[in-house]
Amino acid sequence: MTALDAVSVYTPAFRVPLENLAEPLGLTDIQVRLFRRFHGLDEIRFDPDRSLADLLHAAAAGIDGLRGQEDRVRYVIHGRAMPVVVPYPRNPLHEVCRQLGLAHALTFTVTQQSCASGLLAVDLAGRLLDGDGDPDALALVFTGEKAFTRDARLLPGTSIFGEGAAACLVSTDGPRDRLLAYACDQQGGFDAEFGESFDRFQREYRPSLAAVMRRAVAEARLGFDDIALVLPHNVNIVTWQRLCHLIDYPVDRVVLANVPVNGHLFCVDAFANHRTALEQGLLREGDHYLVAAVGAGAGATYSAMVFRH
Amino acid sequence: MNLIRAGRRDFPAPAGFLIDDDRRNEVAEYFADLTRPYNTAAGTELSGQSYGEMAKALIATVVPADEPVDLLVLAFSIHDMWPGRATATFLSHLCPGTPLSFALCDQGSAAPFTALRLIREHRPRRALLLAVEQAMLPYDSPAVLPKEHRGVALLCGNDDSAGSRIAGLAQHPDVAAPDVPALAAQALTELSAGHDDVRLVLGETLADAWPGAAEHTRAAAGQPMTGVWWQLADTLAESAGLVVIGDYDRDLRYLCLAAIQAR
């Protein structure tokens, strides 16, 4: 059974107030006020001095269980929202692996599920380890990227991306956070090839995410009453208020504390919220929790995972 | 897991998506932002292909409507000319079965081999592996570009009565070029154990790094991503027996081999 043995998150200390992003992102005063008052965003994290490789390295450096265990790591997978992030043939992922003493690991990126690619990476890591059948083997899953272009900085009318990274050690029999179910639904009909679909996407967003969350909970043979906590994607606060109304789930059990202080950190949100949940003592041994992610943009991917802590 | 059907295509004609001025501007802005931190100048010429268009044509070639697919993996090394698109999600909508879809990259020529491994671990009824490469970069790069825009589609399935069995996979990371001959020979011996008649297909880079390799077919030069997979379709069709394909990525140091039992 796939398990998260350790999770490390790097969030830069440097934060930019929403108002300072108005000009570079081409936002009007009204749009800024909407993001602040309606969507609950306040500051966005950036790290102008660190490259993508630096971000990933900073996340990995926070995993105590990695040093001295490098030879157990068989796979390194980067779950990435943006498909192309450096000029070819640069390869920051392999660069980081060499720095970390992980050159022996099979290393690759999975992408094109936008911000849902991080959960996919966790699932694939577990499948590869399970296929090998070695209970001592580990995989390292990275998430995180640079907000380097407009598409990677702004979800119009919805959220603003920040920078950060997470690293997660995955095993097949770890005792900590065990994966009970993974559900994923893709809707490629929102691709630009099929014409403008923003309004339809906005209408279907919450029902589609609710459906995939329900599926994950059902596949874990649980009900929402059994879910102690939801670790959301930090797209904005109002989306989660409305979604909770839709699924009849108490919004105070959704970890939303990072929305105002992080921005939407690509595939990192789930892990940043995991850290916050542990720091605030929101998860007890045996609790079930749900992680949700949506990859939006050209097409949509809705994903949810249920874990037992 | 069996290889049910293979399809392949080259794409000599200009891509349609760059005809649209808004799309061109969007793509140009993306590449300008991508290259700026590296002091690499983005060129003004935009040509090349989108993997969405290439894969769409390949899917139509190998996946009939009555053979729905559960899993689709798009494997590439060099990126395409529509860099911000969630192409795999788009392809999920086009492919019969609306499969779980994702792209696998940043692994050079090892990516299709890893994709096969992931397909095997998923145990789907049917899965589609798309290996693609296009031959244009809109900025200065030390990369050697592929000669042609090419794509290969491999439809895999768990029905043992159909197609050629994928009998084995071997992947070795961090292999220095001088170590390739011994490691490749060992992998070939293990993958072909019990078989007298083995046909070997080697990618250009592996053939160069393994001068003492047994008699083999050398994949087309200048197609680092699709070369061996392009050749595989021909070799499987020739006669029954075990076919072993292999490739080596000199930059990322991956040595990969796969054995397929043709019928």
Side-chain angles (χ1 to χ4, degrees):
Chain A
M1 181 183 285
T2 301
L4 309 182
D5 281 17
V7 175
S8 165
V9 179
Y10 169 72
T11 45
F14 182 62
R15 290 184 285 190
V16 178
L18 208 51
E19 286 71 14
N20 293 13
L21 294 170
E23 187 181 337
L25 294 179
L27 301 175
T28 64
D29 288 347
I30 291 174
Q31 286 171 320
V32 170
R33 281 203 295 274
L34 270 176
F35 269 127
R36 180 177 291 287
R37 293 180 186 171
F38 189 61
H39 290 110
L41 277 67
D42 181 14
E43 296 176 310
I44 312 295
R45 291 186 191 264
F46 292 104
D47 199 334
D49 297 328
R50 288 187 195 245
S51 66
L52 173 58
D54 295 334
L55 292 179
L56 301 181
H57 194 281
I63 294 190
D64 295 334
L66 182 57
R67 197 162 299 157
Q69 304 289 324
E70 292 90 344
D71 59 325
R72 292 174 58 196
V73 177
R74 295 259 182 91
Y75 306 99
V76 178
I77 308 177
H78 188 191
R80 201 171 66 210
M82 300 299 289
V84 183
V85 296
V86 291
Y88 185 81
R90 289 175 184 271
N91 199 314
L93 181 62
H94 279 79
E95 184 186 322
V96 171
C97 285
R98 281 192 294 273
Q99 291 168 357
L100 293 171
L102 299 174
H104 59 275
L106 196 74
T107 299
F108 58 94
T109 292
V110 290
T111 184
Q112 297 185 355
Q113 288 196 355
S114 302
C115 295
S117 302
L119 299 190
L120 171 74
V122 170
D123 177 69
L124 296 178
R127 287 177 187 272
L128 286 168
L129 292 171
D130 193 46
D132 289 344
D134 177 357
D136 288 331
L138 299 169
L140 181 64
V141 169
F142 279 120
T143 56
E145 42 209 281
K146 298 289 288 181
F148 70 96
T149 190
R150 185 178 167 82
D151 281 355
R153 300 186 80 180
L154 178 68
L155 268 175
T158 306
S159 195
I160 297 175
F161 290 100
E163 296 178 346
C168 176
L169 264 189
V170 176
S171 72
T172 52
D173 68 345
R176 282 191 162 167
D177 294 273
R178 292 191 162 176
L179 177 62
L180 303 182
Y182 169 51
C184 178
D185 176 36
Q186 287 176 287
Q187 295 179 11
F190 291 115
D191 186 271
E193 175 141 331
F194 305 110
E196 177 56 47
S197 56
F198 181 77
D199 290 342
R200 185 167 64 87
F201 175 65
Q202 291 293 327
R203 278 197 309 276
E204 295 181 14
Y205 187 105
R206 288 187 299 277
S208 297
L209 179 54
V212 85
M213 289 168 65
R214 286 192 187 102
R215 208 172 93 209
V217 171
E219 286 177 14
R221 300 186 179 192
L222 300 169
F224 270 110
D225 289 347
D226 303 309
I227 301 298
L229 206 63
V230 169
L231 308 184
H233 63 322
N234 292 353
V235 62
N236 61 54
I237 285 177
V238 72
T239 291
W240 279 99
Q241 290 169 335
R242 291 177 172 178
L243 186 69
C244 285
H245 181 70
L246 187 63
I247 61 174
D248 194 21
Y249 187 83
V251 73
D252 60 359
R253 279 162 44 191
V254 181
V255 178
L256 292 169
N258 289 318
V259 173
V261 294
N262 280 0
H264 183 13
L265 302 183
F266 298 98
C267 305
V268 178
D269 289 337
F271 305 104
N273 291 331
H274 181 273
R275 180 179 68 178
T276 299
L278 295 188
E279 285 172 351
Q280 297 184 358
L282 302 176
L283 282 175
R284 293 170 303 179
E285 185 176 337
D287 277 352
H288 296 103
Y289 63 96
L290 183 144
V291 180
V294 177
T301 300
Y302 304 91
S303 290
M305 282 181 159
V306 174
F307 289 88
R308 184 171 59 240
H309 182 60
Chain B
M1 186 63 57
N2 281 15
L3 172 55
I4 299 169
R5 194 174 301 124
R8 63 187 195 187
R9 273 195 59 172
D10 60 357
F11 297 85
F17 78 105
L18 286 171
I19 293 170
D20 181 85
D21 284 343
D22 289 342
R23 179 78 56 221
R24 290 182 73 85
N25 292 337
E26 184 185 297
V27 166
E29 182 185 343
Y30 191 108
F31 282 124
D33 291 341
L34 179 80
T35 52
R36 192 173 299 112
Y38 302 91
N39 296 317
T40 302
T44 53
E45 184 198 350
L46 288 178
S47 58
Q49 296 287 333
S50 90
Y51 291 147
E53 288 183 43
M54 290 170 64
K56 182 179 178 179
L58 287 163
I59 289 170
T61 305
V62 300
V63 189
D66 60 350
E67 294 184 35
V69 168
D70 299 324
L71 176 66
L72 183 155
V73 187
L74 178 70
F76 63 89
S77 178
I78 187 171
H79 63 74
D80 71 348
M81 291 295 293
W82 192 338
R85 189 186 205 185
T87 303
T89 299
F90 162 66
L91 297 175
S92 172
H93 186 72
L94 297 180
C95 185
T98 319
L100 172 71
S101 302
F102 60 88
L104 197 161
C105 60
D106 291 349
Q107 207 186 23
S109 64
F113 293 90
T114 303
L116 267 190
R117 197 163 164 175
L118 289 170
I119 287 168
R120 186 181 64 188
E121 302 307 341
H122 262 270
R123 294 188 281 274
R125 282 172 306 165
R126 282 182 212 87
L128 184 65
L129 166 57
L130 299 159
V132 288
E133 61 189 338
Q134 64 93 33
M136 169 67 190
L137 287 175
Y139 48 79
D140 291 338
S141 169
V144 177
L145 299 179
K147 276 187 178 172
E148 296 180 357
H149 313 302
R150 284 188 172 188
V152 179
L154 303 175
L155 182 67
C156 305
N158 65 1
D159 179 359
D160 287 340
S161 66
S164 304
R165 190 169 68 88
I166 300 168
L169 281 167
Q171 289 188 285
H172 299 277
D174 200 25
V175 179
D179 298 329
V180 166
L183 204 49
Q186 181 190 335
L188 176 61
T189 300
E190 290 169 2
L191 288 170
S192 59
H195 295 268
D196 296 327
D197 180 23
V198 179
R199 285 169 291 161
L200 186 60
V201 178
L202 300 182
E204 180 186 18
T205 315
L206 180 53
D208 288 344
W210 190 10
E215 182 183 344
H216 61 272
T217 302
R218 188 182 176 107
Q223 304 293 155
M225 188 67 177
T226 59
V228 288
W229 306 96
W230 185 277
Q231 180 61 42
L232 175 65
D234 282 346
T235 308
L236 288 176
E238 284 167 4
S239 60
L242 192 74
V243 177
V244 175
I245 63 170
D247 218 335
Y248 175 59
D249 192 298
R250 189 177 290 274
D251 294 328
L252 297 178
R253 297 161 60 103
Y254 286 102
L255 172 66
C256 300
L257 294 97
I260 296 114
Q261 179 68 49
R263 300 193 237 223

